[in-house]
Amino acid sequence: EDSPSRSCVEAIDVITRRAAELCQQMLAYSGHTSVEQKHISLPDLVREMAHLLEVSISKKTSLQLSLSENTPDIMADSAQIRQIIMNLITNASEAIGDIGGTITATVAPMMCNAGFLRACLVNDNCPPGLYTCLEVSDTGCGMDTQTIMRIFDPFLSTKVTGRGLGLAAVLGIVRSHRGAIHVESSPGQGSLFRVLLPAMSEDTPQETQEAEFTAPWQGKA
């Protein structure tokens, strides 16, 4: 504990972990990470991460959770799904900045028709049907349409200190899980990200809603 080298070793440890995280995000974007898929309850996963998520955002920002217990399980890699959750929450916190605001994370089943899926910014020919939806919304600065079209580009960042790989990693992970990403945002009005992952059950819970939305980039994704 009292070694004069301790602070240097701790600094090396932090830098090495950041380098490893950067490599993992690049691999996730390219779809070359190892995947160990199993049945996962997304509400339970978010609930387990609640404390970690709260300490990862600004103290001026509050985190609200809305987790439907009737949400069907997904077949997914838990480590990669955790990375999606953390990256979306961190991105929302950075969008809010020092002014403070609210981040809302919602998990619920969603019945998506073909029109809604075509309007998704990321959609690799996902079939209509029941999906488990992770929705992260914020009261931050929002984005214009031109920015929305580029948010998943590697190394694109609207923040001075950002690496621009958080959302790119989300893109790669969602594609490897045969999912889709729906984005809504406008300047000054905050942003909303929906990650849609195929549900394990074909039964439609009572809370399930039929999604209808026409995006400005429809047909371009």
Side-chain angles (χ1 to χ4, degrees), residues 30 80 135 186:
S30 65
Q80 292 193 347
E135 180 179 293
S186 59

Side-chain angles (χ1 to χ4, degrees), residues 28-216:
Y29 172 77
S30 65
H32 286 86
T33 50
S34 58
V35 176
E36 183 179 348
Q37 294 192 349
K38 58 183 179 180
H39 284 217
I40 293 174
S41 168
L42 193 52
D44 289 348
L45 194 63
V46 174
R47 194 176 293 111
E48 291 171 5
M49 295 179 64
H51 177 68
L52 177 61
L53 296 173
E54 288 174 352
V55 300
S56 300
I57 62 178
S58 168
K59 293 181 179 180
K60 296 181 180 180
T61 299
S62 64
L63 175 63
Q64 299 179 356
L65 301 180
S66 177
L67 310 175
S68 172
E69 296 303 326
N70 290 329
T71 303
D73 289 353
I74 57 175
M75 181 67 74
D77 181 277
S78 59
Q80 292 193 347
I81 300 303
R82 286 190 180 94
Q83 187 175 353
I84 288 178
I85 298 167
M86 179 61 71
N87 287 2
L88 289 179
I89 296 294
T90 300
N91 185 72
S93 178
E94 291 175 345
I96 292 174
D98 295 331
I99 61 175
T102 302
I103 300 172
T104 303
T106 303
V107 177
M110 178 177 285
M111 182 63 73
C112 300
N113 60 28
F116 179 81
L117 290 169
R118 283 196 300 270
C120 289
L121 192 58
V122 176
N123 170 26
D124 291 342
N125 297 317
C126 294
L130 180 63
Y131 286 80
T132 290
C133 177
L134 167 66
E135 180 179 293
V136 176
S137 62
D138 64 70
T139 59
C141 58
M143 301 174 287
D144 58 25
T145 302
Q146 184 177 4
T147 302
I148 293 174
M149 295 299 298
R150 299 183 58 210
I151 54 175
F152 295 109
D153 291 356
F155 302 107
L156 173 71
S157 176
T158 58
K159 280 80 69 175
V160 175
T161 58
R163 292 191 301 264
L165 275 172
L167 291 180
V170 170
L171 169 66
I173 294 171
V174 171
R175 279 181 166 166
S176 71
H177 286 78
R178 302 180 302 281
I181 304 175
H182 185 267
V183 182
E184 295 180 39
S185 186
S186 59
Q189 301 299 316
S191 300
L192 184 152
F193 285 78
R194 291 190 184 97
V195 171
L196 304 168
L197 299 170
M200 291 298 298
S201 173
E202 291 300 325
D203 296 328
T204 303
Q206 293 182 355
E207 294 119 291
T208 299
Q209 299 178 356
E210 186 77 12
E212 289 284 359
F213 181 76
T214 300

